[in-house]
Amino acid sequence: MQHQPIIFSNEVSKSLAELLENLPANRTFVLVDQNSQVVLSKIDFGKLDPQIIVIPPGDTNKNLDTLQKVWLELQSGGATRNSLLINIGGGVVTDLGGFAAASFKRGIRFVNVPTTLLSAVDAAVGGKTGINFNGLKNEIGAFREADAVLISTTFFDSLPEKEIKSGYAEMLKHGLLEDYQTYRKLIDFDFSDIAGNQLLALLEESVNVKRNIVVQDPFEKGLRRALNLGHTAGHAFESLALHRGEPIPHGYAVAWGLVVEAVLSKMIKSLDSTTLYELADYIYRHYGVFNITCDDYYALLNYMRHDKKSEHGEYNFTLLAEPGDVFTGCVVDEESVKAALDIYRDLMHI
């Protein structure tokens, strides 16, 4: 599998024009949601004059009804297999737009332009597309990489700090997967310069960690499962928060999940105590805490057993011996998971 073209640039209009020269199309469409629509003013499409398709924002709208709306607009706009769809927005736009392009006329070309840090580092790269269906996240979809991705930090200027930190948690995960030096740079980053060129350089390094893994395992048969670090516990926290009626940002759930799985890594793979305590302290200072008690363990364990990585109801984790030394498919016994949740509460001062 080849590396997909990914352009990192804060000269968005110029870079997009150069990119589109290599993707000539008879008709061009741009997909945005009602939130990302505002960034169109930052992009000069020149003589292109694309047809704009606007969808409602939010994960609850990543569904079959919205997908059908996109298909209808492509059809009524005369899209053919030689057309191009440019997805400009967060993960909902790139996930749904990618699937719409992958399935319309058995596949038209598409480009992703992520406008949030989380989508830049996660959803826009790697070829996972899809929609939620019948109450389940990403239940319907396809593996189909964008023909190109344009990543710029200029879109992040107006993002709330919470959204920046949500995306940054996925970057921390990539740092832990790569090596200690990459992880160290992320831990030391100054959030006051969040939209500067320094972030663009860190983002490029982080995206390349994911891209190198995806190239080796595009369909998540083995190595790509490393990207689930922090997600078995994180998804359980996310599900519990939804059950409480108090949803939390995905990246925050991953951050707290990283602490739990670092504890398990200490217990099972002898992760260095300094790395564990430093990570826990960083998460505590920047992400606060997700409050749990012993009474929540039953629900959390149940969510973890139903995680997509669990094939037979076992507790399945990605763990670390040290940053860069990764083990996937680690089956952990229930008592160890409970002990890790106990230690998580101690580290988070709950």
Side-chain angles (χ1 to χ4, degrees):
M1 184 176 177
Q2 298 295 313
H3 276 308
Q4 71 179 148
I6 303 180
I7 295 93
F8 297 86
S9 170
N10 282 335
E11 296 182 62
V12 177
S13 296
K14 178 184 176 185
S15 297
L16 186 62
E18 292 171 356
L19 187 159
L20 295 180
E21 278 183 20
N22 297 315
L23 293 169
N26 63 346
R27 287 180 178 83
T28 302
F29 299 79
V30 169
L31 179 68
V32 292
D33 66 19
Q34 288 157 356
N35 291 335
S36 62
Q37 189 175 10
V38 298
V39 307
L40 293 178
S41 62
K42 293 185 175 184
I43 302 173
D44 179 6
F45 289 100
K47 298 177 181 178
L48 201 56
D49 191 28
Q51 179 176 324
I52 309 297
I53 303 172
V54 184
I55 60 174
D59 200 65
T60 54
N61 290 301
K62 197 171 85 172
N63 57 29
L64 197 53
D65 288 341
T66 307
L67 178 66
Q68 181 173 294
K69 170 185 165 60
V70 176
W71 282 334
L72 285 169
E73 295 217 27
L74 289 171
Q75 187 179 62
S76 64
T80 72
R81 294 186 77 178
N82 292 318
S83 298
L84 178 72
L85 179 64
I86 306 173
N87 301 314
I88 303 177
V92 170
V93 171
T94 58
D95 278 1
L96 187 143
F99 186 48
S103 51
F104 187 77
K105 293 191 181 292
R106 297 196 178 95
I108 66 173
R109 293 168 300 165
F110 69 98
V111 171
N112 285 337
V113 184
T115 58
T116 67
L117 182 55
L118 183 59
S119 62
V121 78
D122 189 27
V125 176
K128 285 186 178 180
T129 70
I131 60 167
N132 306 330
F133 181 71
N134 197 29
L136 297 173
K137 281 182 67 69
N138 302 320
E139 182 77 350
I140 308 293
F143 285 100
R144 167 69 153 78
E145 285 201 324
D147 290 82
V149 181
L150 173 59
I151 293 176
S152 171
T153 59
T154 58
F155 298 122
F156 307 159
D157 294 346
S158 59
L159 289 179
E161 186 178 19
K162 201 168 212 178
E163 282 199 42
I164 293 290
K165 287 183 177 178
S166 188
Y168 203 74
E170 291 281 358
M171 292 176 65
L172 284 175
K173 178 197 75 177
H174 289 161
L176 286 165
L177 294 176
E178 182 69 357
D179 53 40
Y180 185 77
Q181 183 182 9
T182 304
Y183 165 66
R184 180 82 257 164
K185 278 191 281 189
L186 293 164
I187 287 286
D188 292 339
F189 181 66
D190 178 6
F191 272 99
S192 66
D193 187 35
I194 202 65
N197 286 322
Q198 185 187 356
L199 177 61
L200 188 64
L202 286 175
L203 185 50
E204 181 170 1
E205 196 167 14
S206 186
V207 168
N208 283 332
V209 171
K210 178 175 182 178
R211 183 160 58 159
N212 290 334
I213 290 172
V214 170
V215 164
Q216 296 174 69
D217 181 19
F219 304 115
E220 204 170 39
K221 300 296 185 184
L223 177 64
R224 186 167 179 165
R225 293 176 185 174
L227 294 169
N228 290 311
L229 181 68
H231 283 63
T232 299
H235 282 154
F237 287 153
E238 221 171 343
S239 297
L240 180 61
L242 284 172
H243 180 74
R244 290 174 175 175
E246 301 169 350
I248 54 178
H250 172 71
Y252 278 63
V254 169
W256 296 316
L258 285 173
V259 177
V260 174
E261 296 181 24
V263 171
L264 286 170
S265 296
K266 167 65 178 170
M267 294 165 59
I268 296 166
K269 297 295 181 183
S270 301
L271 178 69
D272 181 73
S273 296
T274 302
T275 302
L276 168 61
Y277 291 132
E278 183 179 56
L279 174 65
D281 178 65
Y282 184 91
I283 298 301
Y284 176 75
R285 287 186 292 109
H286 290 91
Y287 294 85
V289 302
F290 183 71
N291 279 298
I292 58 170
T293 69
C294 296
D295 293 338
D296 295 312
Y297 287 9
Y298 177 81
L300 289 169
L301 290 165
N302 193 47
Y303 290 130
M304 290 183 210
R305 272 198 303 269
H306 288 87
D307 187 88
K308 66 182 179 182
K309 298 181 293 301
S310 176
E311 296 180 4
H312 307 289
E314 77 280 9
Y315 303 104
N316 193 309
F317 294 88
T318 294
L319 301 178
L320 301 170
E322 62 181 0
D325 190 3
V326 188
F327 297 82
T328 63
C330 299
V331 176
V332 179
D333 65 275
E334 186 168 302
E335 291 308 309
S336 295
V337 179
K338 287 180 179 177
L341 292 172
D342 285 339
I343 297 169
Y344 160 84
R345 289 166 59 206
D346 288 340
L347 291 169
M348 295 290 104
H349 312 288
I350 298 172

